[in-house]
Amino acid sequence: MLRAPNMSCLLVATRVLMPLALAALAACSGETLDPRPDVILISIDTLRPDHLGAYGYAKPTSPTLDAIAAQGVVFEDVTSPSPWTLPAHASLLTGLYPSRHRANSHYRSLGKSAPTLASILSEHGYDAAAVVNSHYLSRRYGLDRGFRRFRHVQEWVFEVMPTTEVTDQAVEWLSAPRRRPLFLFLHYYDVHSDYRSLPDFESAFLDDYDGHADGTTRQLAEVRKGNVSFDEDDVAHLLDLYDAGILQIDHELGRLLTLLRARGLLDRSLLVITSDHGEEFLEHGGVLHGRTQFQEVLRVPLLMRGPGLPAGTRVSTPVSLVDIAPTILAMLEIPVPASLDGVDLAPLWRGETRDFAERHLFGDADHHNEVDDITRSVRQGRYALHYNRLTEQHQLYDLEQDPWERVDIAAEQQEIADRLRERLLRFMADAEQAALAEDRPLDPLTPEELQHLRELGYLQ
């Protein structure tokens, strides 16, 4: 004889089985059961903000990035702590200045004592994954710490095709079933020299040109040595080639955003897009990057879009690349380590600027000079001071009146120059004393690695 089911038993069974059913459904559909947002941090190597529409550039280099900017927060004045790839990215991923994390030369890696954004997020339940496109972001230098999945896509000279492998890997990870939120770090190399792109992107900018500038790192290195010279037409052609690279990576990012929208992930993800440094086009007589602390190499873009971020907001207060890690942690309500040099930027998009008015932003860790790591800079508000630790000479610039740092005003503003110089020297001494990362000598580079880095312009 069949009995009617006991309603209380049915309720208990429903309470037990329903979560399991939902979990299975979510796993099959690729949905995460954790309500926290995914975090997608994108670094576009060598990208200058003044070549993006969101920052006032007239040429159509960046429709995808401009759309993201319109939907979130644009930081208009962002300083990198270093003019080249390794130390800048180590700062991005640690919230520490190069003088403290110590990954600031070809022969030194990130020490084990410095916390990373990936390691902190992993400790708080995030699945951390990264795909990078530079030797200096490879496992050799310790920037893989905290990532459960880490892939290095080799960069090459004479590269024309977009870095589709980076996007393909990101799409695979984003599409896979998972039960934890994802921290995804993507690094693209397309804008970096050699300045070469597919014909469709180059044709959008290139005019008739019969000069000798070809956009290769090899030729640009010869310009540095004084063996090749460029005139205005040559520089204009280089800029066109550079812009084509921006449009190509912008198109590739459009492919990534299409996937995010299709899967309903875009509005549930915290999207952060930035760069490690800019690029010189003879503004101060140089090309490439790494040697100086001028605005053309230290100024980088920063766009943020996602839950809790006000759309169409622009922040003009000067900030630093070291602020990105603590800002992400604070947005996720994860405690920010007191040891970090960076700060949470959320008050700025709420209009609270008081605590940022007197802040100092530092730059160091150059390379390709007579010896590495000799130039320093400190920024406070409108003033930027440059300092050479070997010659002890300094220059002062007023970025409001002279945004491209043409006129040294140290003599006429001696009190400001002395004050900033003293603050910079104190920072240098404190950073050396409190360095969190050990100086860990690396194994010598192989002859093949040395040749590859010379071709890429990283070694002379």
Side-chain angles (χ1 to χ4, degrees):
M1 177 179 178
L2 296 176
R3 295 182 179 178
N6 185 299
M7 295 305 296
S8 61
C9 291
L10 283 177
L11 290 174
V12 171
T14 300
R15 293 193 185 104
V16 172
L17 296 175
M18 185 61 73
L20 297 177
L22 290 175
L25 181 61
C28 291
S29 64
E31 299 294 333
T32 175
L33 295 180
D34 193 311
R36 293 178 297 175
D38 291 333
V39 178
I40 304 172
L41 173 59
I42 299 174
S43 173
I44 305 171
D45 210 298
T46 322
L47 179 60
R48 287 175 53 150
D50 61 332
H51 280 249
L52 304 178
Y55 288 82
Y57 197 48
K59 295 183 179 180
T61 57
S62 52
T64 301
L65 290 170
D66 297 345
I68 294 170
Q71 297 161 4
V73 179
V74 177
F75 290 87
E76 297 177 335
D77 192 347
V78 185
T79 295
S80 174
S82 173
W84 68 286
T85 300
L86 171 59
H89 277 101
S91 290
L92 171 65
L93 295 174
T94 64
L96 299 171
Y97 283 112
S99 296
R100 295 192 61 207
H101 63 59
R102 308 297 286 172
N104 55 2
S105 84
H106 303 285
Y107 311 105
R108 186 181 290 153
S109 68
L110 187 68
K112 293 182 179 180
S113 57
T116 68
L117 181 60
S119 63
I120 295 172
L121 290 178
S122 294
E123 291 170 359
H124 286 81
Y126 271 78
D127 180 12
V131 54
V132 301
N133 189 209
S134 170
H135 167 82
Y136 286 110
L137 274 71
S138 66
R139 295 183 186 277
R140 173 181 175 85
Y141 295 95
L143 271 63
D144 62 318
R145 178 145 27 90
F147 290 104
R148 186 174 68 87
R149 292 172 288 178
F150 187 89
R151 181 182 171 192
H152 170 217
V153 177
Q154 182 71 60
E155 77 277 40
W156 299 103
V157 294
F158 309 123
E159 181 66 45
V160 175
M161 296 293 293
T163 315
T164 56
E165 289 181 67
V166 175
T167 307
D168 291 345
Q169 183 65 81
V171 168
E172 178 182 330
W173 285 337
L174 287 164
S175 301
R178 51 194 168 89
R179 298 190 63 180
R180 293 194 293 161
L182 180 66
F183 169 47
L184 181 60
F185 174 54
L186 306 178
H187 169 258
Y188 290 93
Y189 201 72
D190 298 59
V191 182
H192 195 287
S193 63
D194 295 338
Y195 309 139
R196 292 178 177 235
S197 308
L198 292 174
D200 285 350
F201 300 107
E202 291 191 347
S203 65
F205 301 101
L206 267 60
D207 295 321
D208 292 337
Y209 170 74
D210 57 3
H212 64 285
D214 61 14
T216 63
T217 304
R218 181 180 301 171
Q219 186 186 61
L220 294 169
E222 291 301 309
V223 173
R224 275 186 162 178
K225 296 174 184 177
N227 298 329
V228 174
S229 61
F230 287 152
D231 60 22
E232 290 184 2
D233 289 340
D234 298 326
V235 173
H237 180 64
L238 290 177
L239 288 169
D240 287 341
L241 292 171
Y242 178 80
D243 286 345
I246 298 175
L247 182 59
Q248 177 164 290
I249 191 58
D250 187 86
H251 185 269
E252 188 67 13
L253 290 178
R255 190 162 71 91
L256 177 65
L257 261 64
T258 297
L259 176 279
L260 292 173
R261 288 193 184 94
R263 298 190 63 82
L265 296 173
L266 181 58
D267 291 334
R268 296 190 299 158
S269 299
L270 173 58
L271 181 62
V272 182
I273 302 177
T274 189
S275 182
D276 52 349
H277 55 75
E279 189 80 316
E280 294 183 73
F281 292 97
L282 295 184
E283 291 88 351
H284 291 89
V287 292
L288 299 172
H289 54 269
R291 286 185 168 181
T292 75
Q293 303 283 339
F294 288 111
Q295 291 294 294
E296 57 264 26
V297 288
L298 284 196
R299 189 74 69 88
V300 295
L302 176 56
L303 312 175
M304 298 183 67
R305 179 197 191 281
L309 287 163
T313 300
R314 303 184 72 90
V315 173
S316 60
T317 301
V319 300
S320 172
L321 208 65
V322 298
D323 299 326
I324 292 177
T327 300
I328 290 173
L329 293 175
M331 290 192 68
L332 300 175
E333 299 183 351
I334 294 174
V336 178
S339 61
L340 300 195
D341 294 317
V343 299
D344 176 17
L345 299 179
L348 290 176
W349 65 68
R350 295 195 296 261
E352 304 166 14
T353 62
R354 183 187 313 173
D355 293 339
F356 294 81
E358 301 302 316
R359 188 177 179 217
H360 294 85
L361 307 177
F362 299 97
D364 58 23
D366 67 330
H367 74 160
H368 278 337
N369 288 304
E370 53 267 37
V371 295
D372 285 346
D373 201 19
I374 63 172
T375 65
R376 296 287 189 274
S377 68
V378 58
R379 167 86 182 275
Q380 186 183 37
R382 65 192 290 176
Y383 295 106
L385 181 120
H386 297 237
Y387 177 76
N388 185 305
R389 69 177 178 84
L390 296 185
T391 66
E392 298 186 350
Q393 294 180 333
H394 65 265
Q395 300 83 37
L396 179 70
Y397 302 96
D398 181 347
L399 298 182
E400 285 190 7
Q401 298 296 322
D402 179 25
W404 293 109
E405 298 165 304
R406 306 290 190 188
V407 182
D408 176 13
I409 60 170
E412 60 191 78
Q413 297 288 351
Q414 185 172 347
E415 181 179 349
I416 295 174
D418 289 345
R419 173 168 49 81
L420 288 178
R421 182 176 181 272
E422 176 60 30
R423 180 66 186 91
L424 178 59
L425 293 174
R426 189 165 70 251
F427 164 79
M428 291 165 55
D430 292 346
E432 288 290 335
Q433 184 176 1
L436 294 181
E438 308 88 352
D439 287 347
R440 298 193 300 161
L442 294 170
D443 294 335
L445 293 162
T446 67
E448 292 78 13
E449 289 174 322
L450 289 169
Q451 180 60 28
H452 183 63
L453 291 179
R454 289 191 186 99
E455 292 174 347
L456 293 170
Y458 283 116
L459 295 177
Q460 298 286 3

